[in-house]
Amino acid sequence: MIAKRKTTAKQTWPLALLLLTAVVWTAESGSNQSGNATPENRVTPTIRIVDQYGRPVASGQPDVKSQIFDVTVGPMGNEFSFAPDMVNISVGDTVRWTWESDFHSVTSGTPCTEDGQFCSPDNMHCEAGTLNNTGFVYEFTFTQPGMYQYFCALHCFAGMTGVVNVLPAVRPLPTPRPRPTPWPRP
C-alpha cells in the first residue's frame, strides 16, 4: 500500500508542476507592464456614418437589421424588364439593381415622367435618363415609407417599369425591466 502511494505521488508531481507553470505563465503574459510604466493613451478615430448622399445618418448608428434586395435590370430573355418588378422592403433596406443587358436606366417616377427621388448612376441629373451597360450596379437605400415607382428612361414606353414598396420599420417591443424589490422596513 505504501509503495502504491509513492507511485501515485510520483505520477502526480509532474502534472502539478505543469499546471503551476501554465498558471504562472498566463498571469505574467496578461500583465506586460512594468511597475513604473505609464499607461498608454490611444486615440480611437471617430467613425462617421453617412447615407447614399454623403449626409451624416441622424442616429449615427448603422441599422444592423437592414437588408439588401437584388433586382436584375434587363435580364437575358426579357431585356425590357426588371426582375422582380416589385419588391417589398422596410425602411432602411437597400435595393441593388444589377444590369444584365445594355442601354438601361433606373429612374424614379411614373412611367416616362421622372420625379428626381433617385436614379442611376449617382442620383444626379435624373431628368437626363443616363443609360448604363451590362455589369453596372446601382444601389439606393430607402429611408421613408411609401410606394416608389421607377422605370428605364429608354424603354418606359415598352413597359420596363418597377415598384419598391417601403414599409415602416418594425420596432421591437421593449424588454420589460424587473420591478425593484422593496427593502423591508425596520
Coordinates of all heavy atoms in Angstrom, one line a residue, residues 23-116:
V23 N -0.3 28.3 -15.1 CA -0.9 29.4 -14.4 C 0.0 30.6 -14.3 O -0.4 31.7 -14.5 CB -1.4 28.9 -13.0 CG1 -1.9 30.0 -12.2 CG2 -2.6 27.9 -13.2
V24 N 1.2 30.4 -13.9 CA 2.2 31.5 -13.7 C 2.4 32.1 -15.1 O 2.4 33.4 -15.2 CB 3.5 31.0 -13.0 CG1 4.5 32.1 -13.1 CG2 3.2 30.5 -11.6
W25 N 2.6 31.4 -16.1 CA 2.9 31.9 -17.4 C 1.7 32.8 -17.9 O 1.9 33.8 -18.4 CB 3.2 30.8 -18.4 CG 3.5 31.3 -19.8 CD1 4.6 31.9 -20.2 CD2 2.6 31.1 -20.9 NE1 4.5 32.2 -21.5 CE2 3.3 31.7 -22.0 CE3 1.4 30.6 -21.1 CZ2 2.8 31.8 -23.3 CZ3 0.9 30.6 -22.4 CH2 1.6 31.2 -23.5
T26 N 0.5 32.3 -17.7 CA -0.7 33.0 -18.1 C -0.8 34.3 -17.3 O -1.1 35.4 -17.9 CB -2.0 32.2 -17.9 OG1 -1.8 31.0 -18.6 CG2 -3.2 32.9 -18.4
A27 N -0.6 34.3 -16.1 CA -0.7 35.5 -15.2 C 0.4 36.5 -15.7 O 0.1 37.7 -15.8 CB -0.5 35.2 -13.8
E28 N 1.6 36.1 -16.0 CA 2.6 37.1 -16.4 C 2.3 37.6 -17.8 O 2.6 38.8 -18.1 CB 4.0 36.4 -16.4 CG 4.5 36.2 -15.0 CD 5.9 35.5 -15.0 OE1 6.4 35.2 -16.1 OE2 6.4 35.2 -13.9
S29 N 1.8 36.8 -18.7 CA 1.6 37.3 -20.1 C 0.4 38.3 -20.1 O 0.4 39.2 -21.0 CB 1.3 36.1 -21.0 OG 0.0 35.5 -20.7
G30 N -0.5 38.2 -19.2 CA -1.6 39.2 -19.1 C -1.2 40.6 -18.6 O -1.8 41.5 -18.9
S31 N -0.1 40.7 -17.9 CA 0.4 41.9 -17.4 C 1.8 42.1 -17.9 O 2.7 41.7 -17.2 CB 0.3 41.9 -15.9 OG 0.9 43.1 -15.4
N32 N 2.0 42.8 -19.0 CA 3.3 43.0 -19.5 C 3.8 44.4 -19.3 O 4.7 44.9 -19.9 CB 3.4 42.7 -21.0 CG 2.4 43.5 -21.8 OD1 1.7 44.4 -21.3 ND2 2.3 43.2 -23.1
Q33 N 3.2 45.2 -18.3 CA 3.7 46.5 -18.0 C 4.6 46.4 -16.7 O 4.3 45.6 -15.8 CB 2.5 47.4 -17.6 CG 1.6 47.7 -18.8 CD 0.5 48.6 -18.4 OE1 0.4 49.0 -17.3 NE2 -0.4 48.9 -19.4
S34 N 5.6 47.2 -16.7 CA 6.4 47.3 -15.5 C 5.7 48.2 -14.5 O 4.8 48.9 -14.8 CB 7.8 47.8 -15.8 OG 7.7 49.1 -16.3
G35 N 6.2 48.1 -13.3 CA 5.5 48.9 -12.2 C 5.6 50.4 -12.4 O 4.7 51.1 -12.0
N36 N 6.6 50.9 -13.1 CA 6.7 52.4 -13.3 C 6.3 52.8 -14.6 O 6.5 54.0 -15.0 CB 8.1 52.8 -12.9 CG 9.2 52.1 -13.8 OD1 8.8 51.4 -14.7 ND2 10.4 52.5 -13.6
A37 N 5.7 52.0 -15.4 CA 5.3 52.4 -16.8 C 4.0 53.2 -16.7 O 3.2 52.9 -15.9 CB 5.1 51.1 -17.7
T38 N 3.9 54.2 -17.6 CA 2.7 55.0 -17.6 C 1.8 54.3 -18.6 O 2.2 53.7 -19.6 CB 3.0 56.4 -18.1 OG1 3.6 56.3 -19.4 CG2 3.9 57.1 -17.1
P39 N 0.5 54.4 -18.3 CA -0.5 53.8 -19.2 C -0.4 54.5 -20.6 O -0.2 55.7 -20.7 CB -1.8 54.0 -18.6 CG -1.6 55.0 -17.5 CD -0.2 55.1 -17.2
E40 N -0.7 53.7 -21.6 CA -0.6 54.2 -23.0 C -2.0 54.8 -23.4 O -3.0 54.1 -23.2 CB -0.3 53.0 -23.9 CG 0.0 53.4 -25.3 CD 0.4 52.2 -26.1 OE1 1.2 51.4 -25.6 OE2 -0.1 52.0 -27.2
N41 N -2.0 56.0 -23.8 CA -3.2 56.6 -24.3 C -3.3 56.4 -25.8 O -2.5 56.8 -26.6 CB -3.2 58.1 -24.0 CG -3.2 58.4 -22.5 OD1 -3.8 57.7 -21.8 ND2 -2.7 59.5 -22.1
R42 N -4.4 55.8 -26.1 CA -4.7 55.5 -27.6 C -5.9 56.3 -28.0 O -6.9 56.3 -27.3 CB -5.0 54.0 -27.8 CG -3.8 53.2 -27.5 CD -4.0 51.8 -27.9 NE -2.8 51.0 -27.6 CZ -2.8 49.7 -27.5 NH1 -3.8 49.0 -27.6 NH2 -1.6 49.1 -27.3
V43 N -5.8 56.9 -29.1 CA -6.9 57.7 -29.7 C -7.6 56.8 -30.7 O -7.0 56.3 -31.7 CB -6.4 59.0 -30.3 CG1 -7.5 59.8 -31.0 CG2 -5.7 59.8 -29.3
T44 N -8.9 56.6 -30.5 CA -9.7 55.9 -31.5 C -10.3 56.8 -32.5 O -11.0 57.8 -32.0 CB -10.8 55.1 -30.7 OG1 -10.1 54.3 -29.7 CG2 -11.6 54.2 -31.7
P45 N -10.1 56.6 -33.8 CA -10.7 57.5 -34.7 C -12.2 57.4 -34.7 O -12.8 56.4 -34.5 CB -10.2 57.1 -36.1 CG -9.7 55.7 -35.8 CD -9.4 55.6 -34.4
T46 N -12.9 58.6 -34.9 CA -14.3 58.6 -34.9 C -14.8 58.0 -36.2 O -14.3 58.4 -37.3 CB -14.8 60.1 -34.7 OG1 -14.3 60.6 -33.6 CG2 -16.3 60.1 -34.7
I47 N -15.9 57.2 -36.1 CA -16.5 56.6 -37.3 C -17.6 57.5 -37.7 O -18.5 57.8 -36.9 CB -16.9 55.2 -37.1 CG1 -15.8 54.3 -36.7 CG2 -17.7 54.7 -38.3 CD1 -16.1 52.9 -36.4
R48 N -17.7 57.9 -38.9 CA -18.7 58.8 -39.5 C -19.6 57.9 -40.4 O -19.1 57.4 -41.4 CB -18.1 60.0 -40.2 CG -19.1 61.0 -40.6 CD -18.3 62.3 -41.1 NE -19.2 63.0 -41.8 CZ -19.2 63.2 -43.1 NH1 -18.2 62.7 -43.8 NH2 -20.1 63.9 -43.8
I49 N -20.9 57.8 -40.1 CA -21.8 57.0 -40.9 C -22.6 58.0 -41.7 O -23.2 58.9 -41.2 CB -22.7 56.1 -40.0 CG1 -21.8 55.2 -39.2 CG2 -23.7 55.4 -40.8 CD1 -22.5 54.4 -38.1
V50 N -22.7 57.7 -43.0 CA -23.4 58.6 -44.0 C -24.4 57.8 -44.8 O -24.3 56.6 -44.9 CB -22.4 59.4 -44.9 CG1 -21.5 60.3 -44.1 CG2 -21.6 58.4 -45.7
D51 N -25.4 58.5 -45.3 CA -26.3 57.9 -46.2 C -25.8 57.9 -47.7 O -24.7 58.3 -47.9 CB -27.7 58.5 -46.1 CG -27.7 60.0 -46.6 OD1 -26.7 60.5 -47.2 OD2 -28.8 60.7 -46.4
Q52 N -26.7 57.5 -48.6 CA -26.2 57.4 -50.0 C -25.9 58.8 -50.6 O -25.2 58.8 -51.7 CB -27.2 56.7 -50.9 CG -28.5 57.5 -51.1 CD -29.6 57.1 -50.1 OE1 -29.3 56.5 -49.0 NE2 -30.8 57.4 -50.4
Y53 N -26.2 59.9 -50.0 CA -25.9 61.2 -50.5 C -24.7 61.8 -49.7 O -24.3 62.9 -50.0 CB -27.1 62.1 -50.3 CG -28.3 61.7 -51.0 CD1 -29.4 61.1 -50.4 CD2 -28.4 61.7 -52.4 CE1 -30.5 60.7 -51.1 CE2 -29.5 61.2 -53.1 CZ -30.5 60.8 -52.4 OH -31.6 60.3 -53.1
G54 N -24.1 61.1 -48.8 CA -22.9 61.5 -48.1 C -23.3 62.4 -46.9 O -22.5 63.0 -46.2
R55 N -24.6 62.4 -46.5 CA -25.1 63.2 -45.4 C -25.0 62.3 -44.1 O -25.2 61.1 -44.2 CB -26.5 63.6 -45.5 CG -26.8 64.5 -46.7 CD -28.2 64.9 -46.8 NE -29.0 63.7 -47.0 CZ -30.0 63.6 -47.8 NH1 -30.5 64.7 -48.4 NH2 -30.7 62.4 -48.0
P56 N -24.6 62.9 -43.0 CA -24.5 62.1 -41.7 C -25.8 61.4 -41.4 O -26.9 62.1 -41.5 CB -24.1 63.1 -40.7 CG -23.5 64.2 -41.4 CD -24.2 64.2 -42.8
V57 N -25.8 60.2 -41.0 CA -27.0 59.5 -40.6 C -27.5 60.1 -39.2 O -26.6 60.3 -38.3 CB -26.8 58.0 -40.4 CG1 -28.0 57.3 -39.9 CG2 -26.4 57.4 -41.8
A58 N -28.8 60.4 -39.1 CA -29.3 61.1 -37.9 C -28.9 60.4 -36.6 O -28.5 61.1 -35.7 CB -30.8 61.2 -38.0
S59 N -29.1 59.1 -36.5 CA -28.8 58.4 -35.3 C -27.3 58.1 -35.1 O -26.9 57.9 -34.0 CB -29.6 57.1 -35.2 OG -29.0 56.2 -36.1
G60 N -26.6 58.2 -36.1 CA -25.1 57.8 -36.1 C -24.9 56.4 -35.9 O -23.8 55.9 -35.7
Q61 N -25.9 55.6 -35.9 CA -25.8 54.1 -35.7 C -26.3 53.4 -37.0 O -27.3 53.7 -37.5 CB -26.7 53.7 -34.6 CG -26.3 54.3 -33.2 CD -25.0 53.8 -32.8 OE1 -24.6 52.7 -32.9 NE2 -24.2 54.7 -32.2
P62 N -25.5 52.5 -37.5 CA -26.0 51.7 -38.6 C -27.1 50.8 -38.2 O -27.2 50.4 -37.1 CB -24.7 50.9 -39.0 CG -24.0 50.7 -37.8 CD -24.2 52.0 -37.0
D63 N -28.0 50.6 -39.2 CA -29.1 49.7 -38.9 C -28.7 48.2 -39.2 O -28.5 47.9 -40.3 CB -30.3 50.1 -39.8 CG -31.6 49.3 -39.4 OD1 -31.5 48.4 -38.5 OD2 -32.6 49.5 -40.0
V64 N -28.4 47.5 -38.1 CA -27.9 46.1 -38.4 C -29.0 45.2 -38.9 O -28.7 44.1 -39.3 CB -27.3 45.5 -37.1 CG1 -26.1 46.3 -36.7 CG2 -28.3 45.5 -35.9
K65 N -30.2 45.6 -38.9 CA -31.3 44.8 -39.3 C -31.6 45.0 -40.8 O -32.5 44.4 -41.4 CB -32.6 45.0 -38.5 CG -32.4 44.6 -37.0 CD -33.6 44.9 -36.2 CE -33.3 44.7 -34.8 NZ -34.0 45.5 -33.9
S66 N -31.0 46.0 -41.4 CA -31.3 46.3 -42.8 C -30.8 45.2 -43.7 O -29.9 44.5 -43.4 CB -30.7 47.7 -43.2 OG -29.3 47.6 -43.2
Q67 N -31.5 45.1 -44.9 CA -31.2 44.1 -45.8 C -31.0 44.7 -47.2 O -31.4 45.8 -47.5 CB -32.3 43.1 -45.9 CG -32.6 42.3 -44.6 CD -33.7 41.3 -44.8 OE1 -33.9 40.8 -45.9 NE2 -34.4 41.0 -43.7
I68 N -30.4 43.9 -48.1 CA -30.2 44.3 -49.5 C -31.1 43.4 -50.3 O -31.0 42.2 -50.2 CB -28.7 44.2 -49.9 CG1 -27.9 45.2 -49.1 CG2 -28.6 44.5 -51.4 CD1 -26.4 45.1 -49.4
F69 N -31.9 44.0 -51.2 CA -32.7 43.3 -52.1 C -32.2 43.5 -53.6 O -32.0 44.6 -54.0 CB -34.2 43.8 -52.0 CG -34.8 43.4 -50.7 CD1 -34.5 44.2 -49.6 CD2 -35.6 42.3 -50.6 CE1 -35.1 43.9 -48.3 CE2 -36.2 42.0 -49.3 CZ -35.9 42.8 -48.2
D70 N -32.0 42.4 -54.3 CA -31.4 42.4 -55.6 C -32.5 42.4 -56.7 O -33.5 41.7 -56.6 CB -30.5 41.2 -55.8 CG -29.2 41.4 -55.1 OD1 -28.5 42.3 -55.3 OD2 -29.0 40.5 -54.2
V71 N -32.3 43.3 -57.7 CA -33.2 43.4 -58.9 C -32.3 43.3 -60.1 O -31.3 44.0 -60.1 CB -34.0 44.7 -58.8 CG1 -34.8 44.8 -60.1 CG2 -35.0 44.7 -57.6
T72 N -32.7 42.5 -61.0 CA -31.9 42.4 -62.3 C -32.5 43.4 -63.3 O -33.7 43.4 -63.5 CB -32.0 41.0 -62.8 OG1 -31.5 40.1 -61.8 CG2 -31.1 40.8 -64.1
V73 N -31.6 44.1 -63.9 CA -32.1 45.1 -65.0 C -31.8 44.5 -66.3 O -30.7 44.1 -66.7 CB -31.3 46.4 -64.8 CG1 -31.7 47.4 -65.9 CG2 -31.4 47.0 -63.5
G74 N -32.9 44.3 -67.1 CA -32.8 43.7 -68.4 C -32.3 42.3 -68.4 O -31.2 42.0 -69.0
P75 N -33.0 41.4 -67.7 CA -32.5 40.0 -67.7 C -32.5 39.3 -69.0 O -33.3 39.7 -69.9 CB -33.4 39.3 -66.7 CG -34.7 40.1 -66.8 CD -34.2 41.5 -67.0
M76 N -31.6 38.4 -69.3 CA -31.5 37.7 -70.5 C -32.8 37.0 -70.8 O -33.4 36.5 -69.9 CB -30.4 36.7 -70.5 CG -29.0 37.3 -70.4 SD -28.8 38.6 -71.6 CE -27.2 38.3 -72.2
G77 N -33.3 37.1 -72.0 CA -34.6 36.5 -72.4 C -35.7 37.5 -72.3 O -36.7 37.3 -72.9
N78 N -35.5 38.6 -71.5 CA -36.6 39.6 -71.4 C -35.9 40.9 -71.1 O -36.0 41.4 -70.0 CB -37.6 39.2 -70.4 CG -38.8 40.1 -70.4 OD1 -38.9 41.0 -71.2 ND2 -39.8 39.9 -69.5
E79 N -35.1 41.5 -72.0 CA -34.3 42.6 -71.8 C -35.0 43.9 -71.5 O -34.4 44.9 -71.1 CB -33.4 42.9 -73.1 CG -32.3 41.9 -73.2 CD -32.7 40.6 -73.9 OE1 -33.7 40.6 -74.6 OE2 -31.9 39.6 -73.7
F80 N -36.4 43.9 -71.6 CA -37.1 45.1 -71.3 C -37.9 45.0 -70.1 O -39.1 45.3 -70.0 CB -38.0 45.5 -72.5 CG -37.3 45.8 -73.8 CD1 -37.6 45.1 -74.9 CD2 -36.2 46.7 -73.8 CE1 -36.8 45.3 -76.1 CE2 -35.5 46.9 -75.0 CZ -35.8 46.2 -76.1
S81 N -37.3 44.5 -69.0 CA -38.0 44.3 -67.7 C -37.0 44.4 -66.6 O -35.8 44.3 -66.8 CB -38.7 42.9 -67.7 OG -37.8 41.9 -67.6
F82 N -37.6 44.5 -65.4 CA -36.8 44.4 -64.1 C -37.3 43.1 -63.5 O -38.5 42.8 -63.5 CB -37.1 45.6 -63.2 CG -36.7 46.9 -63.8 CD1 -37.6 47.8 -64.4 CD2 -35.4 47.4 -63.6 CE1 -37.2 49.0 -64.9 CE2 -35.0 48.6 -64.1 CZ -35.9 49.4 -64.7
A83 N -36.4 42.4 -62.9 CA -36.8 41.1 -62.3 C -36.2 41.0 -60.9 O -35.0 41.0 -60.7 CB -36.3 39.9 -63.1
P84 N -37.1 41.0 -59.9 CA -38.5 41.1 -59.9 C -38.9 42.6 -60.2 O -38.1 43.5 -59.9 CB -39.0 40.7 -58.6 CG -37.8 41.0 -57.6 CD -36.6 40.8 -58.5
D85 N -40.1 42.8 -60.7 CA -40.5 44.2 -61.0 C -41.2 44.9 -59.8 O -41.5 46.0 -59.9 CB -41.4 44.2 -62.2 CG -42.7 43.5 -62.1 OD1 -42.9 42.8 -61.0 OD2 -43.5 43.5 -63.0
M86 N -41.4 44.1 -58.7 CA -41.9 44.7 -57.5 C -41.2 44.0 -56.3 O -41.1 42.8 -56.2 CB -43.4 44.4 -57.3 CG -44.0 45.0 -56.1 SD -45.7 44.7 -55.8 CE -46.5 45.6 -57.1
V87 N -40.7 44.9 -55.4 CA -40.1 44.4 -54.1 C -40.8 45.1 -53.0 O -41.1 46.3 -53.0 CB -38.6 44.6 -54.1 CG1 -37.9 43.7 -55.1 CG2 -38.2 46.0 -54.3
N88 N -40.9 44.3 -51.9 CA -41.5 44.9 -50.6 C -40.3 44.8 -49.6 O -39.8 43.8 -49.3 CB -42.6 44.0 -50.2 CG -43.8 44.0 -51.1 OD1 -44.2 45.1 -51.5 ND2 -44.3 42.9 -51.5
I89 N -40.0 46.0 -49.1 CA -38.9 46.2 -48.2 C -39.3 47.0 -47.0 O -40.4 47.5 -46.9 CB -37.6 46.8 -48.9 CG1 -37.9 48.3 -49.3 CG2 -37.2 46.0 -50.1 CD1 -36.7 49.0 -49.8
S90 N -38.4 47.2 -46.0 CA -38.7 48.0 -44.9 C -37.8 49.3 -44.9 O -36.8 49.3 -45.6 CB -38.4 47.3 -43.6 OG -39.3 46.2 -43.4
V91 N -38.2 50.3 -44.2 CA -37.4 51.5 -44.1 C -35.9 51.1 -43.7 O -35.8 50.3 -42.8 CB -38.0 52.5 -43.1 CG1 -37.0 53.6 -42.8 CG2 -39.3 53.1 -43.7
G92 N -34.9 51.6 -44.4 CA -33.6 51.3 -44.0 C -33.0 50.2 -44.9 O -31.8 50.1 -45.0
D93 N -33.8 49.5 -45.7 CA -33.3 48.5 -46.6 C -32.8 49.1 -47.9 O -33.2 50.3 -48.2 CB -34.4 47.5 -46.9 CG -34.8 46.6 -45.8 OD1 -34.0 46.5 -44.8 OD2 -35.8 46.0 -45.8
T94 N -32.0 48.4 -48.6 CA -31.4 48.8 -49.8 C -31.8 48.0 -51.0 O -31.9 46.7 -50.8 CB -29.8 48.8 -49.7 OG1 -29.4 49.7 -48.6 CG2 -29.1 49.2 -51.0
V95 N -32.1 48.6 -52.1 CA -32.3 47.8 -53.4 C -31.1 48.0 -54.2 O -30.5 49.1 -54.4 CB -33.6 48.3 -54.1 CG1 -33.7 47.6 -55.4 CG2 -34.8 48.2 -53.3
R96 N -30.6 46.8 -54.7 CA -29.4 46.8 -55.6 C -29.8 46.3 -56.9 O -30.2 45.2 -57.1 CB -28.3 45.9 -54.9 CG -27.1 45.7 -55.8 CD -26.0 44.9 -55.1 NE -26.5 43.7 -54.6 CZ -25.9 43.1 -53.5 NH1 -24.8 43.6 -53.0 NH2 -26.4 42.0 -53.1
W97 N -29.7 47.2 -57.9 CA -30.0 46.8 -59.3 C -28.7 46.5 -60.0 O -27.7 47.2 -59.9 CB -30.6 48.0 -60.0 CG -32.0 48.4 -59.6 CD1 -33.2 47.9 -60.1 CD2 -32.4 49.3 -58.6 NE1 -34.3 48.5 -59.5 CE2 -33.8 49.3 -58.5 CE3 -31.7 50.2 -57.7 CZ2 -34.6 50.2 -57.7 CZ3 -32.4 51.0 -56.8 CH2 -33.8 51.0 -56.8
T98 N -28.7 45.3 -60.7 CA -27.6 44.9 -61.5 C -28.0 44.7 -62.9 O -28.9 44.0 -63.2 CB -27.0 43.6 -60.9 OG1 -26.7 43.8 -59.5 CG2 -25.8 43.1 -61.6
W99 N -27.2 45.3 -63.8 CA -27.5 45.3 -65.3 C -27.0 44.0 -65.9 O -25.9 43.6 -65.7 CB -26.8 46.4 -66.0 CG -27.5 47.7 -66.0 CD1 -28.0 48.4 -67.0 CD2 -27.9 48.5 -64.8 NE1 -28.6 49.6 -66.7 CE2 -28.6 49.7 -65.3 CE3 -27.7 48.4 -63.5 CZ2 -29.1 50.7 -64.5 CZ3 -28.2 49.4 -62.6 CH2 -28.9 50.5 -63.1
E100 N -27.9 43.3 -66.6 CA -27.6 42.1 -67.4 C -27.7 42.3 -68.9 O -27.4 41.5 -69.7 CB -28.5 40.9 -67.0 CG -28.0 40.3 -65.7 CD -28.6 38.9 -65.5 OE1 -29.3 38.3 -66.4 OE2 -28.4 38.4 -64.4
S101 N -28.1 43.5 -69.3 CA -28.1 43.9 -70.7 C -27.8 45.4 -70.8 O -27.8 46.1 -69.8 CB -29.4 43.5 -71.4 OG -30.5 44.1 -70.8
D102 N -27.6 45.9 -72.0 CA -27.1 47.3 -72.2 C -28.3 48.2 -72.4 O -29.4 47.9 -72.8 CB -26.2 47.3 -73.4 CG -24.9 46.5 -73.2 OD1 -24.5 46.3 -72.0 OD2 -24.3 46.1 -74.2
F103 N -27.9 49.5 -72.2 CA -28.8 50.7 -72.5 C -30.0 50.7 -71.7 O -31.1 50.8 -72.2 CB -29.1 50.7 -74.0 CG -28.0 50.6 -75.0 CD1 -27.8 49.5 -75.8 CD2 -27.1 51.7 -75.0 CE1 -26.7 49.4 -76.6 CE2 -26.0 51.6 -75.8 CZ -25.8 50.5 -76.6
H104 N -29.8 50.7 -70.4 CA -31.0 50.8 -69.4 C -30.6 51.8 -68.3 O -29.5 52.1 -68.1 CB -31.3 49.5 -68.8 CG -31.7 48.4 -69.7 ND1 -32.8 48.5 -70.5 CD2 -31.2 47.2 -70.0 CE1 -33.0 47.4 -71.3 NE2 -32.0 46.6 -71.0
S105 N -31.7 52.3 -67.7 CA -31.5 53.2 -66.5 C -32.5 52.7 -65.4 O -33.4 52.0 -65.7 CB -31.8 54.6 -66.9 OG -33.2 54.8 -67.0
V106 N -32.3 53.2 -64.2 CA -33.3 53.1 -63.1 C -33.6 54.6 -62.8 O -32.7 55.3 -62.4 CB -32.7 52.4 -61.9 CG1 -33.6 52.6 -60.7 CG2 -32.5 50.9 -62.2
T107 N -34.8 55.0 -63.1 CA -35.2 56.4 -62.9 C -36.5 56.4 -62.1 O -37.5 55.8 -62.6 CB -35.4 57.1 -64.3 OG1 -34.2 56.9 -65.1 CG2 -35.7 58.6 -64.1
S108 N -36.5 57.1 -61.0 CA -37.8 57.1 -60.2 C -38.8 58.0 -60.8 O -38.5 59.0 -61.5 CB -37.4 57.7 -58.8 OG -37.1 59.0 -58.8
G109 N -40.1 57.6 -60.6 CA -41.2 58.4 -61.2 C -42.2 57.4 -61.8 O -42.0 56.2 -62.0
T110 N -43.3 58.0 -62.3 CA -44.3 57.2 -63.0 C -43.7 57.0 -64.4 O -42.9 57.8 -64.9 CB -45.6 58.0 -63.1 OG1 -45.4 59.3 -63.7 CG2 -46.2 58.1 -61.7
P111 N -44.2 56.0 -65.1 CA -43.6 55.7 -66.4 C -43.4 56.9 -67.3 O -44.3 57.6 -67.6 CB -44.5 54.7 -67.0 CG -45.1 54.0 -65.9 CD -45.3 55.1 -64.8
C112 N -42.1 57.1 -67.7 CA -41.7 58.1 -68.6 C -41.7 59.6 -68.0 O -41.5 60.5 -68.7 CB -42.4 58.1 -69.9 SG -42.2 56.5 -70.8
T113 N -42.0 59.7 -66.7 CA -42.0 61.0 -66.1 C -41.2 60.9 -64.8 O -41.7 60.4 -63.8 CB -43.5 61.4 -65.7 OG1 -44.2 61.4 -66.9 CG2 -43.5 62.9 -65.2
E114 N -40.0 61.4 -64.8 CA -39.1 61.3 -63.7 C -39.5 62.3 -62.6 O -40.1 63.3 -62.9 CB -37.6 61.5 -64.1 CG -37.3 62.8 -64.7 CD -37.0 63.9 -63.7 OE1 -36.7 63.6 -62.5 OE2 -37.2 65.1 -64.0
D115 N -39.3 61.8 -61.3 CA -39.6 62.7 -60.2 C -38.4 63.1 -59.4 O -38.5 63.8 -58.4 CB -40.7 62.1 -59.3 CG -40.2 60.8 -58.6 OD1 -39.0 60.5 -58.6 OD2 -41.0 60.1 -58.1
G116 N -37.2 62.7 -59.8 CA -35.9 63.1 -59.1 C -35.6 62.6 -57.8 O -34.7 63.0 -57.1

